[in-house]
């Protein structure tokens, strides 16, 4: 009788299905919330900051540039003094943060990601090389090719920069460059179609004026060349008569 009862009794349910369900839910939650910075390089992050796709970083960069300019230009601080104060603040903040984490019983700060990888160094080197090559190509294209519009724009921009730089110092120019770099690309991306349309119209007008001026110059050159030929022929005729 005991054997029959033991054979008819159902075995206890195994806890494996619940574990499998829990593992599947964990996988779903882990895949549902991926990290936003995975697969992004430093150039992508800088592009996002310039185009205000990461507004917090852009605001921090603008405020930091403004604070540095005010401290050095308005309040008359030196660069070494300000750099020392910033380093002291960072060290004190890191020290307090680490001690607070230890007092609260939390894990220490993860400093495993605080390193410069070989890929980032190689990428920075290639970007610098590409920028130098592009600048040299632009210089040779402006100086050797007959693109009057690009040549005139380059010379005019350099002349305007020299006039502006004569009344401002380097720090103010750098601050203006940072502000322009954080505002102009956003405006260009927002009104790209209108700016391109206006640029095309200005370029067409400039080409029309350039062609008109070149035609006038050719006409004046032809008239002067004809007058010179006539003068030469008259002088030769006078010489022959005198002989």
């Amino acid at each position: 009788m005991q054997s029959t009862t033991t054979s008819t009794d159902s075995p206890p349910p195994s806890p494996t299905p619940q574990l499998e369900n829990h593992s599947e839910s964990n996988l779903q939650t882990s895949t549902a919330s991926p990290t936003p910075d995975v697969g992004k390089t430093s150039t992508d992050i800088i592009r996002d900051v310039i185009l205000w796709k990461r507004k917090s970083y852009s605001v921090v960069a603008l405020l930091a540039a403004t604070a540095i300019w005010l401290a050095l230009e308005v309040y008359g601080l030196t660069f070494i003094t300000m750099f020392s104060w910033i380093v002291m603040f960072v060290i004190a903040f890191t020290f307090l943060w680490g001690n607070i984490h230890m007092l609260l019983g939390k894990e220490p700060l993860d400093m495993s990601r605080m390193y410069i990888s070989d890929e980032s160094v190689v990428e920075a080197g290639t970007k610098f090389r590409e920028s130098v090559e592009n600048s040299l190509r632009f210089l040779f294209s402006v100086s050797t090719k007959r693109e009057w519009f690009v040549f005139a724009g380059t010379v005019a921009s350099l002349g305007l920069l020299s006039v502006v730089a004569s009344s401002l110092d380097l720090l103010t120019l750098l601050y203006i460059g940072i502000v322009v770099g954080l505002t102009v690309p956003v405006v260009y991306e927002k009104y790209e179609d209108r700016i391109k349309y206006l640029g095309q119209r200005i370029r067409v007008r400039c080409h029309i004026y350039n062609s008109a001026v070149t035609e006038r110059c050719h006409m004046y050159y032809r008239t002067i060349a004809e007058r010179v030929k006539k003068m030469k022929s008259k002088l030769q005729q006078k010489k022959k008569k005198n002989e």
Side-chain angles (χ1 to χ4, degrees), residues 65-118:
T66 305
I68 292 170
W69 181 76
L70 288 174
L72 294 176
E73 188 68 20
V74 178
Y75 294 102
L77 297 177
T78 59
F79 178 76
I80 297 174
T81 304
M82 190 188 65
F83 180 75
S84 301
W85 285 2
I86 291 171
V87 172
M88 284 190 295
F89 176 76
V90 170
I91 291 172
F93 181 75
T94 307
F95 177 76
L96 292 175
W97 192 12
N99 288 327
I100 288 169
H101 270 259
M102 291 176 65
L103 290 174
L104 294 176
K106 295 182 179 181
E107 295 180 357
L109 297 175
D110 188 10
M111 303 295 289
S112 61
R113 295 183 180 180
M114 298 295 292
Y115 69 96
I116 300 174
S117 62
D118 297 335

Side-chain angles (χ1 to χ4, degrees), residues 22-36 38:
H22 284 297
S23 63
E24 290 177 358
S25 64
N26 290 328
L27 287 173
Q28 290 177 359
T29 54
S30 63
T31 54
S33 61
T35 56
V38 173

Side-chain angles (χ1 to χ4, degrees), residues 130-158:
E130 289 176 358
S131 63
V132 172
E133 288 179 355
N134 291 327
S135 60
L136 290 174
R137 287 171 185 170
F138 178 75
L139 179 63
F140 282 110
S141 65
V142 170
S143 59
T144 56
K145 294 181 180 178
R146 294 183 178 181
E147 295 180 357
W148 295 103
F149 181 76
V150 179
F151 174 75
T154 305
V155 173
S157 61
L158 289 174

Side-chain angles (χ1 to χ4, degrees), residues 203-217:
R203 187 172 294 178
V204 169
R205 291 288 181 86
C206 290
H207 280 298
I208 291 170
Y209 292 148
N210 187 16
S211 61
V213 170
T214 51
E215 286 179 0
R216 290 287 180 87
C217 291

